[in-house]
Amino acid sequence: MEKELNSLVKVGVSTIMSVSYCFFLPPRIKSGFFRLVSILPVCVLFLVLPLFLSFPLFSSPAAILLILADLKLILFSFDQGPLSPLPSNIFLFTCFTCFPIQRQKNPKPQAGGQDQMHTWIFAIKVVLLGVLLHLYHWKTLPPIMLLGLYPPFLYVLLEVSLTLFRILLTIILKCNLEPHFKEPYLATSLQDFWGRRWNLLVSASLRACVYTPVRRVCQHLMCSDDSAMLISVLATFIVSGVFHEVLFFYIIGEMPTGELTLFFVLHGVCTVGEVAVKRTAFAQRWVVRQMLSRLLTVGFVVVTTWWLFFPPWIRSNVTEKCFNEASLLIDFLRRKLIFLYLKTQVKALFDEARSAPSEAKKLAKFEDPEKFVVPCIINI
């Protein structure tokens, strides 16, 4: 564990140094190709750094944050994304580069009753996360039921952790930040789910990095704007699938199976088909009830995640590995704290012995300094 923590510190220091370079030098270069060239070495380094971490508990968040940082820096090369306009100081620049946050544009004030409802919903999600963690840790349910709980577990884990993180950084940075999710279980279509409700920061980054450039190129090559739009949607899903395969490699250390890419390609094809059907005269006359569309959308997402998204992670046993590594980390920190406490106690005893001759004679009978540690252990 100590070796892994040392690697984590080295990765963190390298990241901060690289981000500092991006804050000071590239902004002096005109936005466009040459600024992108100046930032590319940092982007390559960010793709290499997660390889120095072997514990999924550390490699998974590091890989996610560094891949997201690459997207932000590429957008920054063209004066787009969360880093544009340039933050006023290096601390803000580092936070907006390294963390999954984005300034909220045109924040809308909410009524007190609506705020209270959001608070209650978040509290329910926290309780649900605690229950699911207990079930997964102690494995009190059959495996098939645990598999069925994977989709809600993934959602509430991301929702709760990212919301708490966003609240903390909102207080520190003193600015409104965009939410990461917008109640995805209320989505009425795949387009609504992926474009307006699920993982909004990543969706915005992919829209700017992939969707918009591909659409412009297709519009230049094709006469039909609709065809360009559908091709760019599918391209965005393909790139998202490749990113998830790379993430799987960073976390597990095994070659990807292609299931994650297939999952996103399937959703891309279905989203393209959905958008195309919505534009027909028949679909515009036929209105589907919201409740039915929500059931169909969420049901399709859940079934396809069971089929394609979760099996690679389950086969690699990543959840159990993270639980075991978290236990090792807690035990390591506990032992370090006990060691520091014992060291303080022993130092206090020797200082007291030096200052009081009578006490020094009493302590002189202890030939081995480790005998001073025994009373401290008993007290702990």
Side-chain angles (χ1 to χ4, degrees), residues 123 173 234 264:
L173 303 179
L234 185 58
F264 283 97

Side-chain angles (χ1 to χ4, degrees), residues 231-282:
I231 291 173
S232 58
V233 168
L234 185 58
T236 304
F237 275 95
I238 293 172
V239 171
S240 180
V242 172
F243 279 166
H244 281 80
E245 296 284 5
V246 173
L247 184 63
F248 178 84
F249 173 75
Y250 281 139
I251 297 173
I252 308 303
E254 301 174 1
M255 291 304 296
T257 60
E259 291 167 285
L260 299 177
T261 302
L262 182 58
F263 169 81
F264 283 97
V265 170
L266 174 63
H267 275 256
V269 170
C270 292
T271 303
V272 167
E274 178 189 273
V275 173
V277 169
K278 281 181 179 178
R279 291 170 177 259
T280 62
F282 172 76

Side-chain angles (χ1 to χ4, degrees), residues 306-330:
W306 284 338
W307 173 34
L308 292 171
F309 190 84
F310 287 123
W313 305 101
I314 294 171
R315 287 195 300 268
S316 62
N317 212 12
V318 66
T319 304
E320 188 172 346
K321 287 179 182 177
C322 287
F323 276 124
N324 293 336
E325 290 163 5
S327 299
L328 287 174
L329 178 62
I330 293 171

